[in-house]
Amino acid sequence: MPHRIHKISTANYPDPLVDYSNTEFIMEFQDAATVLQQWRNPHLGRSSREGTVLSIAANSRAAYESIQIRLLSNDLGEAEEIDLIEKLKVYSFMLNRTLPEALELVNLDLLLTIEDIQEFIRKHIELMGIEFGMELRSASSILNQLETITDIEITDEFGRKRRINRNDVLDVIGSVLGNILLRQATLWPVDNIIARPRGRIDLKKTYRTAIMREGSVPPKSIHIDDIKVIDRDRLSLIYFIVDMSQSMGKIVYKQGLTRLDGALLTSLGLFYYFKIMNRRKRREFDSFKMHIIPVNQNPGVISDNKKFENLLLGAEAKGRTRLVHATISAINHVTKNYKNNNYDVQLVYLTDGRPNVPFEGIIPGRSKNDLKDYFKNASSSTPKQAQLCMQQLHQIFHYLKYNKDRKWSISYFLMAATKFMNSDLFDDTKYMLSGITRPILIDPTEIDTLGRKIIQEAIANADQ
């Protein structure tokens, strides 16, 4: 049986150390979604569990052969020789008894999670000690290594299969999605070609310069000397505020993908997109700093890899929509951590409904009556709690718009079908954002385009 495991593992499961940036292996959004689902929930795929057992078998076989070579070809001390012989017994027991039985139980759906497999192996090796009539000290260290040998099988858009270690899942699909976004964001339509300084045109400043040169509105023409470009090295803080309320658990996409899954994938893609952009700029400091704020029970700012990994692994669609709390968290984070830095700030919201938990505390800015008067005069079906939340956001947004310390930009994405534009909530949201930005409707079934739209919107805001 161990030789058959070895044969299967090398034939059907290629070496996991593959280059996923290789153009021959192409993953699309849907492929990445499947991998993320398997990573978040090991119950979803038998191939994931089989891959785990086969990966352990392949690593055990390699270790077994390596120890044999060392014992036969090296002059070892007595203590080291005893230790290696002990390890050889453990690996031999696993290859001959433990792993074949584990693979059979996986195929019978009796071992349903990675943890089940590890626990089964742990109990088996305890029996091994009884069989050999002695405690094998090396067994515990070998068991600890199993935490890192948990593979997931992935398939690209052409049906080609690869294995990926669970520890590398985020790096793989993050890099894939980040590079997809990079390609999408750089493909801008060009109507004609003009000679001009390098960089994106600052339309407002260019137009103003032409008016001053000609002394007429509108100007008759734009000369090359009128063209002003945007500072390419402008520093930006991006806060992606992601709704994780109960309604985000609705399945809206292929293969059981929920709105939350799509939002998490978009977060991952953006997280890596800005990493790639920072590497390309080759500066002493990052031009972009990406933060994620999950709208959950206690919205907090996530900006490092480990916390982001924990968020992706444990995220659930539950609870209510605390958009105001998440906004306050972003403002406090900027104030505390970037007080003396000249960073622009972009708040990007992704929600599928209404904010419904008012903030109890001091709200930045001055109280405004225009939205309150709007709700008094309009026959809106929006609940009172949601109306209060929208008034609080309206006050905060206007405070940020006229903030003198730094530039703040806001993008507000609503995940809903086109018919949502006929609802009271859409009209209320549109009025809440009046003078600030506009709500951008994105169909949940087209969540794979969200990342591109966010980047385009972010660039458009930077140009203003």
Side-chain angles (χ1 to χ4, degrees):
M1 188 64 185
H3 65 279
R4 281 194 287 163
I5 286 182
H6 180 60
K7 185 176 180 181
I8 292 173
S9 65
T10 54
N12 295 343
Y13 290 84
D15 191 276
L17 300 177
V18 296
D19 180 10
Y20 290 94
S21 62
N22 192 317
T23 54
E24 293 181 0
F25 195 85
I26 302 173
M27 287 178 68
E28 295 295 339
F29 190 89
Q30 186 176 332
D31 304 322
T34 302
V35 175
L36 185 66
Q37 285 182 322
Q38 287 189 355
W39 181 75
R40 279 168 46 79
N41 183 1
H43 292 268
L44 289 176
R46 182 186 295 172
S47 64
S48 171
R49 303 191 296 274
E50 288 177 348
T52 297
V53 177
L54 296 173
S55 176
I56 294 171
N59 281 271
S60 298
R61 170 65 61 182
Y64 181 86
E65 293 174 352
S66 174
I67 291 171
Q68 276 188 320
I69 293 171
R70 288 190 64 188
L71 286 170
L72 293 173
S73 60
N74 292 281
D75 186 14
L76 305 173
E78 183 180 356
E80 186 178 2
E81 188 172 297
I82 292 174
D83 181 63
L84 289 176
I85 291 173
E86 205 175 89
K87 288 181 179 178
L88 202 65
K89 290 180 180 179
V90 175
Y91 285 121
S92 177
F93 188 88
M94 288 177 63
L95 289 166
N96 286 285
R97 300 247 323 249
T98 305
L99 297 176
E101 289 185 30
L103 188 60
E104 183 178 358
L105 292 174
V106 165
N107 289 324
L108 292 173
D109 283 335
L110 296 178
L111 297 178
L112 295 177
T113 69
I114 304 301
E115 291 72 25
D116 290 343
I117 295 171
Q118 292 171 344
E119 183 61 26
F120 173 81
I121 295 173
R122 187 171 286 106
K123 288 181 178 179
H124 238 255
I125 292 185
E126 287 177 3
L127 294 175
M128 178 186 62
I130 298 173
E131 181 173 306
F132 285 110
M134 59 184 293
E135 181 183 353
L136 300 177
R137 292 169 297 172
S138 59
S140 59
S141 64
I142 291 172
L143 284 172
N144 291 334
Q145 295 172 15
L146 299 184
E147 300 293 333
T148 62
I149 310 176
T150 49
D151 287 4
I152 291 177
E153 181 183 282
I154 64 176
T155 307
D156 75 352
E157 65 171 330
F158 299 109
R160 292 180 293 237
K161 296 181 183 296
R162 296 288 189 276
R163 275 191 305 147
I164 174 175
N165 189 287
R166 282 177 63 88
N167 292 336
D168 299 327
V169 166
L170 294 190
D171 282 336
V172 171
I173 60 177
S175 297
V176 168
L177 293 174
N179 278 290
I180 289 174
L181 289 176
L182 187 66
R183 291 195 297 272
Q184 291 175 342
T186 54
L187 293 175
W188 299 98
V190 178
D191 299 318
N192 49 38
I193 299 174
I194 60 173
R196 62 175 174 84
R198 296 187 65 181
R200 286 185 56 78
I201 295 178
D202 188 321
L203 298 177
K204 288 187 176 181
K205 290 184 179 179
T206 298
Y207 190 66
R208 191 181 300 122
T209 302
I211 291 173
M212 293 176 66
R213 177 180 53 79
E214 290 191 351
S216 63
V217 180
K220 296 177 182 178
S221 61
I222 303 291
H223 290 180
I224 187 171
D225 293 334
D226 300 330
I227 295 175
K228 306 296 180 185
V229 296
I230 296 165
D231 179 7
R232 294 169 65 90
D233 291 327
R234 186 67 178 161
L235 306 177
S236 295
L237 302 171
I238 299 98
Y239 289 84
F240 189 30
I241 299 173
V242 184
D243 187 353
M244 293 189 179
S245 60
Q246 187 173 354
S247 58
M248 290 290 284
K250 184 177 180 181
I251 295 175
V252 293
Y253 203 70
K254 304 167 188 174
Q255 298 185 347
L257 182 65
T258 66
R259 293 176 176 177
L260 179 59
D261 291 326
L264 293 176
L265 273 175
T266 301
S267 303
L268 184 59
L270 290 170
F271 200 74
Y272 275 80
Y273 167 81
F274 288 111
K275 279 188 176 182
I276 294 168
M277 290 296 291
N278 286 331
R279 286 200 302 268
R280 286 193 166 195
K281 285 186 175 291
R282 299 179 183 275
R283 298 180 56 168
E284 294 181 3
F285 47 86
D286 292 342
S287 297
F288 302 98
K289 292 185 180 293
M290 179 72 183
H291 308 82
I292 311 293
I293 303 182
V295 181
N296 50 23
Q297 184 72 30
N298 296 298
V301 178
I302 295 172
S303 53
D304 65 75
N305 290 9
K306 188 61 182 177
K307 289 182 180 179
F308 188 40
E309 179 179 334
N310 292 337
L311 168 68
L312 291 175
L313 190 59
E316 294 182 69
K318 63 180 182 179
R320 303 172 72 190
T321 310
R322 293 173 167 80
L323 282 187
V324 187
H325 297 70
T327 305
I328 298 293
S329 293
I331 295 172
N332 290 340
H333 190 265
V334 173
T335 304
K336 181 179 179 181
N337 295 281
Y338 304 104
K339 185 175 182 179
N340 299 318
N341 299 82
N342 187 28
Y343 278 92
D344 291 342
V345 183
Q346 299 193 36
L347 303 181
V348 180
Y349 293 80
L350 177 63
T351 178
D352 68 337
R354 59 177 71 89
N356 51 25
V357 183
F359 184 80
E360 296 180 1
I362 299 174
I363 304 293
R366 295 181 179 179
S367 178
K368 298 181 70 63
N369 294 322
D370 50 342
L371 190 58
K372 187 183 297 184
D373 295 338
Y374 164 83
F375 282 122
K376 283 182 180 179
N377 299 324
S379 55
S380 173
S381 58
T382 301
K384 295 297 182 183
Q385 290 288 90
Q387 290 183 18
L388 180 55
C389 291
M390 296 175 84
Q391 290 173 41
Q392 291 180 340
L393 287 173
H394 185 67
Q395 176 178 326
I396 295 171
F397 292 159
H398 278 271
Y399 161 76
L400 297 177
K401 179 180 179 180
Y402 297 105
N403 186 281
K404 302 290 185 181
D405 297 332
R406 66 181 78 241
K407 178 184 175 183
W408 296 75
S409 301
I410 294 166
S411 300
Y412 202 94
F413 289 85
L414 282 168
M415 295 178 67
T418 307
K419 62 181 181 181
F420 181 73
M421 297 180 70
N422 300 322
S423 68
D424 288 345
L425 180 56
F426 183 80
D427 290 337
D428 297 344
T429 304
K430 190 174 180 180
Y431 196 92
M432 176 188 74
L433 299 172
S434 59
I436 306 296
T437 186
R438 68 197 188 288
I440 304 168
L441 202 66
I442 180 165
D443 193 314
T445 60
E446 298 175 357
I447 191 69
D448 50 339
T449 67
L450 177 60
R452 173 179 56 81
K453 291 182 178 180
I454 287 174
I455 292 172
Q456 290 177 343
E457 179 69 13
I459 292 174
N461 278 334
D463 292 352
Q464 294 175 1

